[in-house]
Amino acid sequence: MPPEDPQSIQRLEQARRLLALAQTGLHYTTGVFDRERYEEVAAIAHAQIAEIASMDVARVAELFAFETGYANPKLDVRCAVFNEAGHILLVREAADGLWSLPGGWADVGLSPAENAAKEVREESGYTVDIVRLLAAWDMAKHPHPPSVFHIWKLVFLGEVVKAGKLVGAETDAVGFFALDGLPPLSLGRIMPEQIRRLDALRRSNDVDFD
C-alpha cells in the first residue's frame, strides 16, 4: 500500500472505522431504509479506502465481501521458533518473495496455539510444541505499511519436535537466520525490530502486549 504519511494513515483509519460502523449497522438493522443508508456508507468507505490505498473500488469491496456481522479486528497468528544457536525460523512467502514468521489468519475451529502450530507445520515442514505466548500486538500501533484491515497479531514461542516437508502452497523456502543476518522481510507481516523484541521476550520469559 503506497501511502505511509501520517495524514494518509489517519484517513485510512477513519475509513476503516466508517466501514466497521456500516458493517455493524447492517448486521443489526431490520429497517429497509436503514439498510440502504448503511450500504451507502459502506460504499463511501470502500471508495475512500480505494483512493488512499491506490486500489480499485471493486477490489476493495471484494476484500470486504465476507466481512459480515459485528465488525471486529482480524486475527493474525504467528510462531517464533529459535534453534540452539539463537537463529530464528523464517519462511519465504510465495506471493511476494519476502520472508516472515510462519503464520497467517486464524482458522475457525482451532485455538490460537493450535493455529500457530498448524501454520508452522504447513509453511515450514517443522512440527513444533507451542511453549507460550510471546506477544499480542495491534499492528496499527507498529510501523508496518498501512493495511486495509485492522489486524491484531498473536506471536507464540514454538520448540521444534521434528522436521518434515512443506505441505502448503503459500511458502516456497524455509531457513534459520541469525538476527543480525535477516533476509528481506515482508514488512506487512513482521519487522526486524519485532523479531529482535521476540528474542528478548523469550530470553526474559516476558510477554509483550499493546
Side-chain angles (χ1 to χ4, degrees), residues 49-93:
I49 291 172
E51 179 185 358
I52 299 166
S54 299
M55 296 175 64
D56 181 74
V57 176
R59 175 56 180 156
V60 173
E62 180 183 345
L63 285 173
F64 285 94
F66 296 103
E67 300 295 317
T68 59
Y70 187 89
N72 292 297
K74 295 179 74 66
L75 185 61
D76 178 32
V77 178
R78 301 274 160 180
C79 191
V81 181
F82 297 85
N83 63 15
E84 293 180 355
H87 297 176
I88 191 164
L89 178 69
L90 298 176
V91 294
R92 189 170 64 192
E93 301 285 345

Side-chain angles (χ1 to χ4, degrees), residues 95-108:
D96 58 14
L98 300 174
W99 295 78
S100 180
L101 299 179
W105 298 133
D107 291 331
V108 173

Side-chain angles (χ1 to χ4, degrees), residues 20-189:
L21 290 171
Q23 180 182 320
T24 300
L26 286 168
H27 176 67
Y28 285 112
T29 188
T30 57
V32 174
F33 295 111
D34 283 342
R35 176 166 295 276
E36 290 178 351
R37 294 186 184 98
Y38 284 125
E39 288 175 346
E40 183 177 356
V41 171
I44 293 171
H46 289 159
Q48 290 178 339
I49 291 172
E51 179 185 358
I52 299 166
S54 299
M55 296 175 64
D56 181 74
V57 176
R59 175 56 180 156
V60 173
E62 180 183 345
L63 285 173
F64 285 94
F66 296 103
E67 300 295 317
T68 59
Y70 187 89
N72 292 297
K74 295 179 74 66
L75 185 61
D76 178 32
V77 178
R78 301 274 160 180
C79 191
V81 181
F82 297 85
N83 63 15
E84 293 180 355
H87 297 176
I88 191 164
L89 178 69
L90 298 176
V91 294
R92 189 170 64 192
E93 301 285 345
D96 58 14
L98 300 174
W99 295 78
S100 180
L101 299 179
W105 298 133
D107 291 331
V108 173
L110 298 177
S111 72
E114 290 169 340
N115 267 282
K118 179 184 75 72
E119 292 289 341
V120 175
R121 185 173 62 255
E122 291 179 351
E123 295 189 352
S124 74
Y126 286 95
T127 298
V128 299
D129 284 336
I130 300 300
V131 179
R132 63 183 180 87
L133 180 68
L134 289 177
W137 289 328
D138 181 343
M139 291 182 63
K141 297 185 181 298
H142 297 257
H144 292 279
S147 170
V148 296
F149 296 112
H150 186 183
I151 302 168
W152 290 354
K153 184 186 297 292
L154 299 182
V155 185
F156 290 87
L157 178 64
E159 288 185 351
V160 173
V161 175
K162 64 179 181 179
K165 295 182 179 180
L166 296 175
V167 296
E170 296 181 358
T171 57
D172 57 15
V174 58
F176 281 92
F177 296 88
L179 300 193
D180 59 358
L182 296 173
L185 296 177
S186 179
L187 300 180
R189 297 178 174 91

